[in-house]
Amino acid sequence: MFKTTDLYDKYLETLQVAAPVFRDFGGRQRFSGQIVTLKAFEDNSFLKAAFETDGRGKVLVVDSGASLRCAMMGDVMAALGASNGWEGVVINGCIRDSADVAKVNLGVKALATTPRKTIKRNQGVRDIPLSFAGVHFNPGDYLYADEDGIVLSKTKIVE
């Protein structure tokens, strides 16, 4: 069991620390894994496709351009991710169905909630470097999240 505060104290500035802009919504507040990235603006088609794959040991990081107009994920999508072993998801945007998402065994950090869903246009790009919340999310790096925030490491630092 790790704490982001202890990880920071041990590794200091070798870790990136995300700005404290995210709220916890999932059934798990502490989660970690290898980063898989997705850039998709107000379209969750690629998020669903990612959650349909084996996510054991992985965290999906989604850049939705900090849009507050629609939700990138709801309870059905969260349950899909959990059923395929995903550790968690960090969304630079919104979710919906937050009361039900809180019951799913998945770490979920996002900016806010909104009832509006996305429009499916099958648009997005996977596995590219992303930058938001003052840090760089690189595919293959490691993300550690808990109640105190998110830290990123180039290498795996917790077993």
Side-chain angles (χ1 to χ4, degrees):
M1 192 62 70
F2 68 88
K3 289 173 46 180
T4 57
T5 53
D6 292 343
L7 293 177
Y8 181 80
D9 289 350
K10 182 174 182 179
Y11 295 99
L12 299 171
E13 293 303 313
T14 63
L15 300 180
Q16 295 184 77
V17 179
V21 296
F22 299 102
R23 294 172 48 196
D24 284 305
F25 294 103
R28 294 171 52 191
Q29 290 189 326
R30 187 175 316 240
F31 60 96
S32 65
Q34 195 165 31
I35 295 172
V36 175
T37 62
L38 167 62
K39 185 176 183 89
F41 185 72
E42 298 182 355
D43 179 351
N44 67 359
S45 305
F46 278 49
L47 192 154
K48 181 176 187 275
F51 272 178
E52 288 173 336
T53 66
D54 182 5
R56 287 176 289 185
K58 298 177 186 170
V59 174
L60 185 61
V61 177
V62 181
D63 187 358
S64 182
S67 173
L68 302 178
R69 293 189 308 196
C70 61
M72 289 296 288
M73 185 188 81
D75 60 334
V76 172
M77 198 85 66
L80 176 64
S83 72
N84 284 312
W86 286 86
E87 302 296 329
V89 59
V90 176
I91 300 175
N92 187 27
C94 292
I95 69 155
R96 63 190 219 153
D97 303 312
S98 61
D100 293 322
V101 169
K103 298 173 188 171
V104 177
N105 186 25
L106 181 73
V108 178
K109 287 193 180 276
L111 298 177
T113 61
T114 186
R116 183 180 292 127
K117 65 181 180 177
T118 67
I119 296 172
K120 310 283 191 282
R121 297 179 309 275
N122 203 33
Q123 296 177 342
V125 181
R126 275 194 57 177
D127 302 320
I128 62 168
L130 302 175
S131 294
F132 58 87
V135 295
H136 303 289
F137 298 91
N138 294 304
D141 287 358
Y142 289 83
L143 182 148
Y144 301 89
D146 66 7
E147 304 85 352
D148 290 316
I150 298 170
V151 297
L152 307 174
S153 174
K154 290 279 182 205
T155 60
K156 187 174 187 177
I157 55 175
V158 173
E159 286 303 319

